[in-house]
């Protein structure tokens, strides 16, 4: 009899866990759909505003020019936040192909080296030739940008992005000498909406983990508070 109770209670616990999981999933689906539609609608007018601001800057007097620069910078920040939401809504891979991650590292550099300078930091990128990976190159680019962006936002003065071939896997590492994290903070990485930043979305790493997994890869963080953080990704080598 007692055994039956135990089984019943276990069953009830499992059931309530399942219901909770379903509620979480449902909420996330709803948020995704909302985020995608709002983000999409907001993006177009923003592009128009940015274009006109740039035009005005050409003829603006110095004091105004400074304000316009700030306005453009803030628009760019909005754009980054919106990208986080759009990627959160559509993390699935669109074009799957074998591509050279070395080339991707370079294109991340084009975008992120100026961003690093804005943060008074140095971004160093090193990649072996022919890092052939199977997946969606645009999504992996988003992953690398997310990781480098986080590294820079952690107050790092130096961020390293390195790609190598290790036996039969491709390893991509992002290392920073920023604030680092303690064990509790490390554990929370990738949970939706977990952010310690005033204007963070807490979606970057959630999307990042999802994309890496979808490409058959893995992502592991190690960190030491006050010293820095190391994110290691591995993907099967495609030859
Ligand atoms: P967001 O950047 O919008 O806050 P993320 O999902 O990208 O969201 O990151 C979640 C949180 O993880 C960050 O707010 C930060 O606290 C922590 N974090 C991520 N990467 C690093 C890093 N390289 N160094 C220190 N903290 C980090
Ligand atoms: Mg982030």
């Amino acid at each position: 009899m007692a055994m039956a109770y135990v089984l019943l209670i276990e069953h009830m616990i499992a059931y309530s866990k399942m219901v909770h999981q379903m509620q979480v999933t449902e909420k996330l689906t709803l948020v995704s759909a909302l985020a995608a539609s709002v983000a999409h609608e907001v993006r177009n007018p923003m592009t128009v505003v940015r274009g006109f601001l740039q035009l005005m800057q050409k003829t603006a007097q110095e004091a105004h020019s400074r304000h316009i620069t700030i306005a453009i910078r803030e628009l760019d920040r909005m754009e980054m936040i919106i990208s986080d939401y759009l990627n959160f809504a559509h993390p699935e891979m669109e074009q799957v192909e074998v591509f050279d991650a070395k080339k991707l590292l370079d294109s991340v550099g084009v975008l992120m080296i100026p961003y690093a300078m804005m943060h008074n930091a140095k971004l160093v990128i090193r990649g072996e030739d022919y890092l052939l990976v199977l997946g969606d190159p645009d999504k992996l680019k988003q992953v690398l940008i997310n990781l480098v962006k986080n590294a820079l936002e952690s107050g790092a003065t130096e961020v390293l992005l390195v790609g190598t071939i290790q036996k039969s896997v491709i390893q991509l590492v992002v290392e920073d000498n920023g604030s680092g994290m303690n064990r509790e903070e490390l554990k929370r990485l990738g949970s939706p909406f977990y952010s310690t930043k005033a204007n963070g979305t807490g979606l970057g790493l959630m999307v990042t983990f999802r994309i890496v997994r979808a490409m058959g890869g893995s992502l592991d963080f190690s960190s030491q508070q006050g010293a820095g953080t190391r994110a290691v990704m591995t993907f099967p080598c495609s030859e």
Side-chain angles (χ1 to χ4, degrees):
M1 194 60 189
M3 192 60 193
Y5 275 125
V6 170
L7 283 176
L8 182 68
I9 290 169
E10 271 183 357
H11 182 75
M12 279 164 65
I13 291 172
Y15 181 75
S16 87
K17 266 190 194 155
M18 193 185 77
V19 168
H20 177 72
Q21 187 56 48
M22 268 161 59
Q23 281 168 343
V24 170
T25 311
E26 202 177 286
K27 239 192 249 171
L28 282 179
T29 314
L30 186 71
V31 173
S32 310
L34 258 174
S37 57
V38 173
H40 217 76
E41 295 297 328
V42 170
R43 216 180 214 175
N44 294 336
M46 268 173 56
T47 315
V48 177
V49 172
R50 196 184 190 284
F52 277 115
L53 283 173
Q54 267 180 322
L55 261 180
M56 282 162 66
Q57 194 160 39
K58 287 200 181 127
T59 54
Q61 284 158 356
E62 200 181 315
H64 282 152
S65 171
R66 240 193 358 257
H67 294 151
I68 293 174
T69 305
I70 296 171
I72 291 178
R73 198 178 61 212
E74 293 300 300
L75 271 177
D76 288 345
R77 205 167 81 192
M78 278 168 72
E79 166 63 30
M80 287 256 197
I81 294 173
I82 287 177
S83 292
D84 268 9
Y85 272 89
L86 274 181
N87 275 297
F88 164 68
H90 296 290
E92 65 276 357
M93 295 196 275
E94 271 138 34
Q95 40 160 169
V96 177
E97 61 190 47
V98 175
F99 61 92
D100 186 357
K102 155 79 169 144
K103 289 198 184 118
L104 208 61
L105 294 183
D106 294 336
S107 76
V108 169
V110 171
L111 225 71
M112 297 311 283
I113 287 172
Y115 191 73
M117 285 203 283
M118 264 166 59
H119 281 83
N120 298 316
K122 202 168 110 191
L123 171 61
V124 178
I125 299 184
R126 280 201 305 262
E128 275 179 55
D129 286 329
Y130 305 117
L131 301 171
L132 299 182
V133 176
L134 175 71
D136 183 334
D138 285 338
K139 295 291 173 192
L140 185 58
K141 187 170 175 183
Q142 189 60 50
V143 161
L144 294 172
I145 290 172
N146 280 343
L147 294 174
V148 169
K149 201 151 82 73
N150 279 344
L152 290 167
E153 288 164 356
S154 76
T157 53
E158 212 172 290
V159 177
L160 222 68
L161 170 56
V162 180
T164 51
I165 304 180
Q166 307 268 336
K167 292 180 187 145
S168 58
V169 297
I170 304 291
Q171 193 175 69
L172 302 175
V173 177
V174 180
E175 212 177 310
D176 69 63
N177 62 353
S179 65
M181 289 169 275
N182 62 31
R183 215 175 296 161
E184 275 67 44
E185 289 167 325
L186 260 180
K187 255 195 267 169
R188 299 193 61 179
L189 290 184
S191 336
F193 309 115
Y194 167 64
S195 176
T196 55
K197 297 166 197 167
N199 44 28
T201 57
L203 292 174
L205 286 185
M206 186 196 163
V207 172
T208 298
F209 274 109
R210 272 210 247 172
I211 295 172
V212 171
R213 222 170 292 141
M215 285 179 54
S218 67
L219 168 58
D220 291 296
F221 280 90
S222 53
S223 187
Q224 205 171 5
Q225 201 149 35
T229 302
R230 187 178 151 90
V232 179
M233 272 177 293
T234 55
F235 296 99
C237 179
S238 269
E239 274 173 313

